[in-house]
Amino acid sequence: MTENTQTPSSPYSELPTSYAPADVEGKLYERWVERGYFEADEKSDKPPFAIVIPPPNVTGSLHLGHAFEHTLIDAITRRKRMQGYETLWQPGMDHAGIATQNVVERELAKEGKSRHDLGREAFVERVWQWKGESGGQISGQMRRLGDGVDWSRERFTMDEGLSEAVQTIFKKLYDDELIYRAERIINWCPRCLTAISDIEVEYQDDEGELVSIRYGEGDASIVVATTRAETMLGDTAVAVHPDDERYKHLVGTEIELPLTGRRIPVVADEHVDPEFGTGAVKVTPAHDPNDFEIGQRHGLPNLAVMDEHAVITVHGPFQGLDRLEARSAIVAALRAEGRIVAEKRPYTHSVGHCSRCKTTIEPRLSLQWWVKVGPLAKAAGDAVRDGQVKIHPQEMEKRYFDWVDNLHDWCISRQLWWGHRIPVWYGPNGEIVCVGPDEQPPTGEGWTQDTDVLDTWFSSGLWPFSTLGWPQQTDSLAKFYPNAVLVTGYDILFFWVARMMMFGLYAMDGTPPFHTIALHGMVRDERGKKMSKSFGNAVNPLDWMDKYGSDAVRFTLARGANPGVDVPIGEDWVQASSKFANKIWNATRFAMMNGATIEGDLPSVEEMSATDRWILSRLNETVAQADAFYEDYQFSKLSEALYHFAWDEVFDWYVELSKTTFFAGGEPAKASARVLGEVLDVMLRLLHPVVPFVTETLWTTLTGGESLVIADWPKDSGFRDAAAEAEIEAVQSLVREVRRFRKEQNLDDKQKVPGRLDLSGTTLAAHEAAIRQVLRLQPEGDAFSATATLPVGGATVALDLSGTIDVEAERKRLSKDLAAAEKEKQQAEAKLGNEAFIAKAPDNVVDKIKGRLTKAEADIARLTDQLAGLPQG
């Protein structure tokens, strides 16, 4: 338990009677920032705890996914700061190459211009201008949420320091022959006019057509099927399986390619599945990755038939047609020649789309820059296998290994103008020079720099160490690398996490960028559906913050956060969290009004009541639970534990059971007031990382302390009192049973009724006044008539309900319900006693009948007791 001898500087009366988040949150956050609470000191002798923000796109705004992730990271870092760590939460933004260029190009289009009208240098200047004026609105929204980031260290992936890091690692990889330039099949977006990586392709089922085309004539003909008839213009072979007897006579021969007049070979390749379709496939090496591999094995030419806009460039009749126009025209021409053997329309199949603009991607042979990922990916896999890095939850390891163990070389060049330009110069005589950040590029006539830029993920893969000043050996790098943990969504495990692992291990001499990868799920709507503007279910978290407060949004998100599992969320849940924040406010204010204090030492065990000892025992158990859940990233369980401790145990039980003590005054009241102050102090500390605003306001008022942000995290003192817990549990059981009975009689909990308590021989005797208080039981009086008697755990509670219920009507109702329960029991027993029925009935049916019998027996016992409790006559 914590001890605090400060005198409150502000009485409870300074607190408004109700909590208004809008009046509190903005001012509090600015105070935290101004006082430098979130700033990390690399020269501190405190143990380090560093974590990075997954850098949001400069084009973005705060969506629920961001709010969810930031809530979890903020809760972790606030607790670590309170535990005495030198805590760095590193903020920053990603330049988001394609997305940002698209935004600025759309702005230019409104002016009737394209980037080519401006030229490269002027266009890049225009993007920087846009970034300064319109980009980065998310940082203001992060402040609304309460993100405790070190704003003095904010970075941008295109700033000078990070650009130096990018150039340094490119040069190092190039010199180590891990970066190379080669002509390969890449994913090409005809809209963005750039290559995109495999993981930036989104696959969805589209409706198209499957046409079967006859190549060749008579016995020397083969039928192939395709969904992309336009690519046949670039076919340079037909492939069959070497063991396929149907086509052995054709392997090594040539057949005519329809419409073109060209003859192409028939080759045998084990890649072909003889069981699929006709067992023969067309081979278009310049427009399909698998065909490219076949072409490489058989020395086939690569014939490109489309330009960067996916417009046909060959064969007169179709030249100049868009790929979809060409598809229809070519099928029509083949049909006219009698070459179409079969057509299936519509034909649903998986088609790749650009994740940025949703255009159908086009596999295209292109000269690009690549990272040889083999040795890098092996190191990234080994770091998890040997325990250097732990993935949480552990079951996500399989996804990670499936990815890193099967990585293809990474295409890192993009045909954009916004981004880190590839630091390679070409000379007039075919020279190629890669230039590091401290080197002068070659000059003279004929020397030009590569026009491409690097994939955005190349620079963001350096984030954990480039933001700390690498390649310079800075104090920040020495203090805060590696990061303690990475908190991110499982959806970018491959985009970002694997790249950081590869680059961190490579650049930092085998030291991984973080010790733990904690993966969370995606935020979905209350029905579990993905949130999307197109679905009409997307939510702007700022709207909910305006309506309910940031604490309510944060608590809702944390309460739904099970590791690696998607999070459903609806407005009703945020509203419920808002009620929780208000409950904390109102109940804490009420407690302070009734003398709750942190002044002086805690009373001795002998000076405390059983109720006091119970709540302190439960408090320490809650501290232990909170620590365990934090260490295991179990935010949902953490939030549930804190919610039920605060609302149920502190406010609904301890405060209520202690009211008679407070009203009576004297030394017992002083002891309970000090215990209540202690409980509130620790409870607010425990809640602070998740709901920082309401807790900060209440705690500083209660304790007079400077700020919860820099307060000590509570420690489990080890105090437990099993006897007190059992004693109060007995009180709770009695109260719950009487409340249940009252509810059955349609009596409001607050309605007062005369009651007689026989608590002799039980531990409940010392709590009679408290029990009467919480149950609203009036003294018996001379005219007391026990119309209902409830035996509970060795005690007896007699109630006089003569003035509140119609006894005869109640007897009839209970008798009717009892008869129905007895009939249900008889029917269930009859079925279960029928051996023929039991032999034939499925297990689930038998189990259901057994359940009905159990319920009927419980209903009979309950109703019998209730009838017995009614007066006779």
Side-chain angles (χ1 to χ4, degrees):
M1 216 79 65
T2 60
E3 290 190 3
N4 193 325
T5 57
Q6 289 177 292
T7 302
S9 59
S10 302
Y12 75 89
S13 58
E14 292 187 5
L15 292 173
T17 55
S18 60
Y19 180 52
D23 296 339
V24 171
E25 295 175 348
K27 296 174 184 176
L28 266 187
Y29 189 84
E30 289 310 312
R31 184 189 308 163
W32 292 335
V33 173
E34 287 169 6
R35 294 183 179 180
Y37 293 155
F38 304 140
E39 293 180 11
D41 181 5
E42 61 266 18
K43 298 187 185 301
S44 164
D45 58 3
K46 294 179 182 179
F49 180 87
I51 190 169
V52 297
I53 186 174
N57 287 354
V58 68
T59 59
S61 60
L62 194 73
H63 57 64
L64 267 181
H66 288 125
F68 173 53
E69 185 168 79
H70 290 202
T71 294
L72 305 188
I73 299 175
D74 195 44
I76 292 171
T77 55
R78 284 178 182 270
R79 171 174 174 262
K80 285 297 181 181
R81 192 178 291 111
M82 294 172 75
Q83 287 182 309
Y85 287 84
E86 192 60 43
T87 303
L88 168 62
W89 183 10
Q90 174 67 55
M93 287 180 290
D94 190 280
H95 66 278
I98 296 177
T100 305
Q101 181 158 318
N102 281 346
V103 168
V104 178
E105 286 197 82
R106 283 197 296 270
E107 292 297 312
L108 283 175
K110 294 176 183 177
E111 303 170 16
K113 297 178 182 178
S114 73
R115 60 182 165 120
H116 300 284
D117 294 324
L118 271 66
R120 183 173 194 138
E121 187 175 332
F123 176 77
V124 171
E125 278 187 24
R126 179 71 175 258
V127 180
W128 277 108
Q129 180 185 344
W130 174 88
K131 189 259 182 188
E133 295 173 355
S134 307
Q137 61 175 312
I138 199 168
S139 61
Q141 296 164 340
M142 288 166 59
R143 293 170 183 265
R144 283 288 311 277
L145 189 64
D147 286 4
V149 300
D150 186 345
W151 290 110
S152 70
R153 294 172 178 262
E154 188 174 11
R155 303 303 299 270
F156 180 53
T157 49
M158 286 281 286
D159 68 30
E160 186 176 344
L162 269 64
S163 295
E164 179 187 0
V166 168
Q167 195 171 352
T168 299
I169 202 163
F170 187 99
K171 171 71 172 173
K172 181 174 169 59
L173 288 163
Y174 182 87
D175 290 346
D176 288 345
E177 298 183 351
L178 292 173
I179 280 184
Y180 64 95
R181 195 179 189 219
E183 194 173 43
R184 299 270 186 85
I185 292 286
I186 49 91
N187 302 301
W188 181 263
C189 176
R191 158 64 183 77
C192 298
L193 296 180
T194 182
I196 60 175
S197 66
D198 291 344
I199 51 180
E200 291 172 303
V201 177
E202 293 179 350
Y203 287 91
Q204 66 184 48
D205 287 340
D206 286 357
E207 282 192 0
E209 60 180 349
L210 180 69
V211 294
S212 298
I213 309 167
R214 178 170 52 83
Y215 288 13
E217 301 293 342
D219 292 338
S221 66
I222 293 182
V223 174
V224 298
T226 182
T227 58
R228 301 169 66 221
E230 69 278 8
T231 63
M232 68 160 291
L233 300 176
D235 287 358
T236 55
V238 171
V240 298
H241 194 275
D243 299 330
D244 195 330
E245 295 293 336
R246 294 171 295 178
Y247 303 118
K248 277 195 172 182
H249 68 290
L250 292 177
V251 174
T253 68
E254 290 186 343
I255 59 175
E256 184 174 338
L257 179 65
L259 303 182
T260 66
R262 287 192 290 114
R263 296 187 67 80
I264 58 176
V266 178
V267 300
D269 194 280
E270 292 189 351
H271 170 77
V272 180
D273 180 2
E275 302 299 321
F276 183 77
T278 63
V281 296
K282 58 191 288 297
V283 182
T284 320
H287 293 278
D288 184 274
N290 293 322
D291 292 3
F292 178 79
E293 298 297 331
I294 293 174
Q296 292 292 101
R297 288 193 288 271
H298 297 278
L300 301 175
N302 302 315
L303 181 58
V305 297
M306 278 181 256
D307 65 12
E308 65 270 25
H309 298 281
V311 170
I312 302 299
T313 58
V314 299
H315 202 65
F318 312 109
Q319 193 167 357
L321 295 180
D322 170 83
R323 55 183 167 170
L324 298 180
E325 297 171 332
R327 183 177 301 171
S328 300
I330 287 170
V331 169
L334 290 168
R335 190 184 297 112
E337 290 190 5
R339 294 284 178 178
I340 300 296
V341 176
E343 295 181 70
K344 187 174 183 180
R345 189 184 297 110
Y347 178 73
T348 302
H349 60 127
S350 182
V351 177
H353 296 260
C354 173
S355 62
R356 298 295 180 188
C357 69
K358 313 308 177 187
T359 301
T360 301
I361 63 102
E362 190 65 44
R364 185 168 187 253
L365 189 65
S366 182
L367 184 63
Q368 301 283 346
W369 285 95
W370 304 79
V371 172
K372 188 184 295 183
V373 300
L376 303 175
K378 182 181 185 304
D382 290 346
V384 175
R385 288 189 172 94
D386 65 20
Q388 284 189 81
V389 179
K390 297 186 183 304
I391 293 180
H392 189 279
Q394 190 173 1
E395 55 265 28
M396 286 287 181
E397 281 187 3
K398 183 179 184 301
R399 285 194 186 193
Y400 178 79
F401 291 134
D402 285 347
W403 182 253
V404 297
D405 293 347
N406 297 286
L407 269 179
H408 299 297
D409 284 0
W410 172 19
C411 177
I412 57 171
S413 45
R414 299 290 180 267
Q415 289 64 55
L416 303 170
W417 287 356
W418 173 244
H420 295 100
R421 195 162 173 182
I422 290 176
V424 171
W425 272 255
Y426 305 107
N429 299 311
E431 303 97 331
I432 299 179
V433 176
C434 180
V435 177
D438 299 324
E439 300 171 350
Q440 289 296 320
T443 57
E445 188 176 347
W447 282 94
T448 58
Q449 186 179 357
D450 196 300
T451 57
D452 290 350
V453 300
L454 288 164
D455 178 10
T456 298
W457 297 102
F458 190 94
S459 52
S460 58
L462 314 180
W463 193 248
F465 51 94
S466 64
T467 52
L468 297 173
W470 187 90
Q472 309 304 320
Q473 297 305 305
T474 64
D475 291 340
S476 290
L477 191 65
K479 179 75 173 179
F480 295 115
Y481 188 91
N483 288 184
V485 62
L486 173 75
V487 177
T488 191
Y490 64 71
D491 58 316
I492 57 172
L493 182 61
F494 321 125
F495 281 90
W496 189 44
V497 179
R499 282 155 171 70
M500 286 191 290
M501 285 286 284
M502 290 191 296
F503 281 166
L505 289 159
Y506 173 72
M508 301 301 292
D509 300 320
T511 302
F514 19 73
H515 298 303
T516 302
I517 301 168
L519 299 170
H520 58 73
M522 311 295 292
V523 177
R524 297 181 178 273
D525 70 13
E526 61 267 35
R527 296 178 181 84
K529 190 174 182 179
K530 180 180 178 181
M531 285 193 174
S532 167
K533 289 181 181 178
S534 60
F535 295 156
N537 63 351
V539 173
N540 182 346
L542 295 177
D543 293 340
W544 282 351
M545 288 185 219
D546 289 341
K547 194 171 183 179
Y548 302 108
S550 297
D551 281 336
V553 174
R554 289 171 62 114
F555 191 75
T556 305
L557 291 165
R559 200 174 183 183
N562 289 299
V565 179
D566 288 347
V567 182
I569 184 173
E571 187 170 358
D572 288 351
W573 305 337
V574 184
Q575 188 174 17
S577 295
S578 175
K579 291 179 180 177
F580 178 51
N582 287 324
K583 179 74 171 181
I584 297 170
W585 180 274
N586 295 332
T588 302
R589 186 177 181 278
F590 173 83
M592 285 190 275
M593 183 174 66
N594 283 277
T597 181
I598 61 162
E599 291 187 58
D601 295 334
L602 279 171
S604 66
V605 171
E606 292 74 23
E607 293 175 299
M608 289 189 286
S609 68
T611 310
D612 294 336
R613 298 196 306 275
W614 164 73
I615 196 61
L616 289 177
S617 183
R618 293 298 308 134
L619 177 67
N620 276 284
E621 179 60 29
T622 302
V623 172
Q625 286 181 339
D627 283 331
F629 291 144
Y630 263 116
E631 294 304 316
D632 200 34
Y633 306 101
Q634 297 280 358
F635 294 98
S636 178
K637 292 180 179 178
L638 165 75
S639 301
E640 286 295 316
L642 296 181
Y643 175 89
H644 289 295
F645 175 73
W647 194 307
D648 300 343
E649 295 184 304
V650 178
F651 300 140
D652 281 0
W653 284 110
Y654 180 71
V655 170
E656 290 298 317
L657 291 174
S658 300
K659 280 183 178 179
T660 53
T661 302
F662 289 128
F663 295 159
E667 292 304 314
K670 291 180 181 179
S672 292
R674 178 64 185 91
V675 168
L676 180 53
E678 182 74 8
V679 171
L680 293 175
D681 176 16
V682 175
M683 181 196 76
L684 293 170
R685 293 174 195 250
L686 291 174
L687 282 164
H688 176 73
V690 181
V691 284
F693 296 107
V694 66
T695 52
E696 172 85 341
T697 307
L698 292 170
W699 184 86
T700 52
T701 304
L702 171 70
T703 69
E706 181 181 345
S707 174
L708 266 176
V709 179
I710 55 173
D712 291 336
W713 180 252
K715 293 181 180 179
D716 174 10
S717 71
F719 177 80
R720 300 290 192 280
D721 193 324
E725 291 202 35
E727 189 170 324
I728 301 305
E729 283 173 9
V731 173
Q732 292 171 326
S733 294
L734 183 144
V735 170
R736 288 190 184 106
E737 183 61 25
V738 175
R739 282 176 171 171
R740 183 187 64 78
F741 176 79
R742 289 174 59 123
K743 185 176 182 181
E744 289 173 348
Q745 309 306 319
N746 295 318
L747 292 178
D748 187 272
D749 281 345
K750 295 181 180 179
Q751 185 173 350
K752 294 181 179 180
V753 296
R756 175 188 299 154
L757 298 178
D758 181 1
L759 309 176
S760 57
T762 73
T763 59
L764 300 169
H767 302 280
E768 179 169 352
I771 291 170
R772 284 187 173 277
Q773 166 68 28
V774 297
L775 285 176
R776 307 292 193 271
L777 296 183
Q778 295 175 322
E780 300 170 36
D782 295 336
F784 180 83
S785 174
T787 59
T789 304
L790 303 173
V792 185
T796 303
V797 180
L799 302 176
D800 183 354
L801 305 179
S802 57
T804 57
I805 65 170
D806 183 333
V807 175
E808 286 307 312
E810 183 63 14
R811 191 190 311 282
K812 288 180 181 179
R813 184 185 72 80
L814 292 173
S815 298
K816 182 179 179 182
D817 290 347
L818 178 61
E822 288 172 338
K823 182 177 180 181
E824 176 72 3
K825 179 186 175 186
Q826 292 171 359
Q827 291 176 341
E829 286 177 333
K831 285 191 175 182
L832 293 173
N834 186 334
E835 294 182 3
F837 171 78
I838 295 297
K840 294 180 181 179
D843 290 344
N844 66 315
V845 173
V846 174
D847 289 342
K848 186 175 181 180
I849 294 172
K850 288 180 178 178
R852 286 167 50 192
L853 176 60
T854 300
K855 183 179 183 302
E857 290 173 339
D859 287 344
I860 290 169
R862 175 176 58 81
L863 293 165
T864 301
D865 285 345
Q866 288 181 239
L867 278 167
L870 294 175
Q872 302 299 313

